[in-house]
Amino acid sequence: MIQSKAHPGRHRHALCLLALCAAATCSAASWAADVRVMCYQDGNECDVTAELAKRFEAKNPGTKIIVDKVPYKTVVEQLPVQLASGQGPDIARVTEIGGLAKYYLDIGPYVQDRNYWEKNFGNTLSWMRTSAGDKGIYGLMSQLTVTGPYVNKTLFEQANVPLPGPKATWDDWVAATRKVAKATQLEASMAWDRSGHRFAGPAISYGAKLFNASGDLVIDDGYKAIVQKFVGWNKDGTMSKEVWAGAGGSAYRDGFEDFKNGRIVMYLSGSWQIRRMSSQIGKNFDWIVVPNPCGPAACSGMPGGAAFVALKGSKSPKEAGRFLDFLAQEDVYAEMMAKTENLPAHQGLVQKGVNYTSAPEIKAALAVFSTDIPRLSPLAYRLQGYQYNRSLMFPTVTRVTQAIVGEMSVNDAMTRLSSDMAESVRQAKK
């Protein structure tokens, strides 16, 4: 066997390096690694992350976590451009979770316990994966959101109408809010955000399957059933017609102002509105969150949220992965949820509960949304993680609005919706 001989110059160089290292009392700190985190915040998420990062740095000498606070617009508009050019941070906080998946770094090799991640974050890990067979771990949900209704409790009390119970149907709530609106002389009793995402929860509850056997989006009888009801509620005055009929195309519009000003009794939006409710409504009236109403098939809202994802261009992949693993640990994650007043995506904490120290109305609202998490349909998680979900959500808004204003029948709207959806997916796959 022929053995290669080490080059004597290389040998001397290696000995010099070892001597220098010893002279400098070589340690892990000699190879400092920076991990840059691009972070936007709805409230204080970046501030809390930076605070937790100090604890991680203390346990990991030589690693520096730099949290760069940026406007949300930067994440939406500039981050994709940076990633496409091979640039960008080590970690970013994103809401367009599936749309950027091709840029994500698999941190699986750097986490302490893959089973822990799968057990506690399994419902949302798939949102960051590129295919059904992908088993990578790419990031951590820093905020789980849940869609659900807000109710003006003061109006119910003034009208002397009892609140429907936790298993009430949408029909039960429509009947109750109509009574309240009539007694308090309101023109409408309810509003849903003008959003296909908000529409999806009731659609699933009414039996929409959303996907066919091949895994493609489909409009079925369950979807048509909730469209029929929703159009009818807009036409008979139950819904605040201006929210959906007051905008064109697939443009988003929320119903917050109607609710804030006491013009409606019930408002379907989501957990991200809690702080806004508390700060802008104040003591004007008592508002509460109630569980998602039921349909024949489920009592489901829609999940969503923001995630810290690791990125392939990272110059410190190991450190980035270990930092996300640190944030994912139950005690740290629970602290992060409590301090940011967000809902946990951690299944263990969903069961145990988070010890929020918020204002009473915020704490009560978070408690209801938390209890609704286990009621979310698996279909809701599947749709949220589906790469082409906007191909259903955007044309839903357009076509349902056209049925509301009388431009076409519900049957024609559903035919057009199905065609729009299929074409949108085809274009997206090109």
Side-chain angles (χ1 to χ4, degrees):
M1 180 181 293
I2 299 175
Q3 294 182 343
S4 61
K5 296 180 180 179
H7 193 285
R10 290 177 186 169
H11 183 65
R12 285 194 298 270
H13 180 64
L15 289 174
C16 288
L17 285 175
L18 287 171
L20 286 169
C21 190
T25 315
C26 197
S27 70
S30 302
W31 293 278
D34 288 347
V35 176
R36 301 203 78 99
V37 182
M38 178 185 284
C39 183
Y40 85 92
Q41 60 184 14
D42 299 304
N44 62 347
E45 289 86 356
C46 303
D47 300 329
V48 171
T49 302
E51 178 186 332
L52 294 172
K54 298 300 181 185
R55 197 181 309 165
F56 175 80
E57 290 171 349
K59 294 181 178 180
N60 295 271
T63 300
K64 177 70 175 176
I65 308 297
I66 304 165
V67 179
D68 297 314
K69 277 196 287 189
V70 300
Y72 181 61
K73 188 176 182 180
T74 300
V75 176
V76 173
E77 296 180 1
Q78 295 181 26
L79 178 62
V81 176
Q82 291 178 14
L83 296 177
S85 65
Q87 304 299 313
D90 301 280
I91 295 170
R93 185 169 188 254
V94 301
T95 55
E96 188 64 26
I97 297 171
L100 297 172
K102 64 182 178 181
Y103 299 113
Y104 296 165
L105 169 74
D106 183 3
I107 62 170
Y110 312 121
V111 305
Q112 297 178 53
D113 186 352
R114 289 185 62 96
N115 290 333
Y116 168 84
W117 279 77
E118 292 288 351
K119 178 182 178 181
N120 290 294
F121 299 102
N123 285 339
T124 55
L125 288 178
S126 61
W127 294 355
M128 306 169 210
R129 293 167 175 165
T130 55
S131 66
D134 187 350
K135 302 300 182 185
I137 298 174
Y138 299 99
L140 171 75
M141 294 299 294
S142 62
Q143 169 195 35
L144 185 73
T145 60
V146 177
T147 63
Y150 294 83
V151 169
N152 187 323
K153 186 181 177 185
T154 298
L155 286 175
F156 266 90
E157 292 169 348
Q158 290 175 353
N160 198 28
V161 174
L163 289 163
K167 295 183 179 180
T169 65
W170 275 109
D171 287 335
D172 293 334
W173 275 104
V174 165
T177 58
R178 279 175 178 165
K179 289 179 182 177
V180 173
K182 183 177 180 180
T184 55
Q185 299 181 331
L186 298 179
E187 291 185 6
S189 64
M190 194 179 292
W192 294 2
D193 285 339
R194 192 176 194 264
S195 160
H197 181 266
R198 241 59 86 236
F199 198 87
I204 291 169
S205 297
Y206 271 83
K209 302 300 182 186
L210 302 178
F211 299 93
N212 62 20
S214 301
D216 299 319
L217 289 172
V218 65
I219 300 299
D220 57 11
D221 289 343
Y223 209 85
K224 183 178 177 181
I226 192 59
V227 171
Q228 191 82 57
K229 280 185 172 290
F230 186 68
V231 170
W233 291 334
N234 272 270
K235 289 185 174 181
D236 68 16
T238 299
M239 290 286 173
S240 176
K241 196 172 181 179
E242 289 74 17
V243 176
W244 279 62
S250 60
Y252 173 77
R253 180 172 175 175
D254 71 22
F256 178 80
E257 292 299 322
D258 282 353
F259 187 75
K260 169 188 169 183
N261 294 317
R263 294 196 293 265
I264 54 174
V265 185
M266 187 179 198
Y267 169 41
L268 177 61
S269 190
S271 55
W272 58 91
Q273 297 276 26
I274 292 175
R275 290 191 193 94
R276 194 178 178 193
M277 293 280 172
S278 179
S279 63
Q280 295 194 30
I281 294 175
K283 303 297 183 181
N284 292 341
F285 60 83
D286 291 332
W287 58 271
I288 59 171
V289 174
V290 297
N292 271 288
C294 299
C299 312
S300 186
M302 278 291 292
F308 279 123
V309 293
L311 299 165
K312 286 180 179 177
S314 173
K315 295 179 176 61
S316 306
K318 181 179 180 180
E319 290 78 9
R322 287 185 171 178
F323 178 56
L324 291 180
D325 194 38
F326 166 78
L327 293 180
Q329 299 312 301
E330 186 171 309
D331 59 335
V332 179
Y333 194 79
E335 183 179 345
M336 182 165 64
M337 293 302 102
K339 288 183 175 179
T340 60
E341 297 178 334
N342 281 321
L343 299 175
H346 186 292
Q347 293 303 301
L349 286 174
V350 170
Q351 295 176 2
K352 294 178 182 178
V354 174
N355 184 26
Y356 297 106
T357 57
S358 316
E361 71 275 9
I362 293 178
K363 191 172 182 178
L366 286 165
V368 176
F369 278 119
S370 295
T371 58
D372 244 19
I373 294 174
R375 302 169 82 217
L376 295 174
S377 167
L379 267 177
Y381 282 103
R382 184 179 178 186
L383 178 63
Q384 183 63 18
Y386 181 61
Q387 187 176 2
Y388 308 114
N389 60 24
R390 291 188 175 191
S391 295
L392 167 64
M393 294 177 182
F394 284 1
T396 288
V397 173
T398 303
R399 297 306 182 185
V400 170
T401 298
Q402 288 178 308
I404 289 170
V405 301
E407 290 182 13
M408 61 180 66
S409 67
V410 169
N411 285 336
D412 287 344
M414 293 301 92
T415 299
R416 297 287 186 88
L417 171 56
S418 185
S419 177
D420 294 341
M421 186 175 66
E423 177 61 24
S424 177
V425 172
R426 278 195 295 269
Q427 292 297 326
K429 286 183 177 180
K430 285 185 177 180

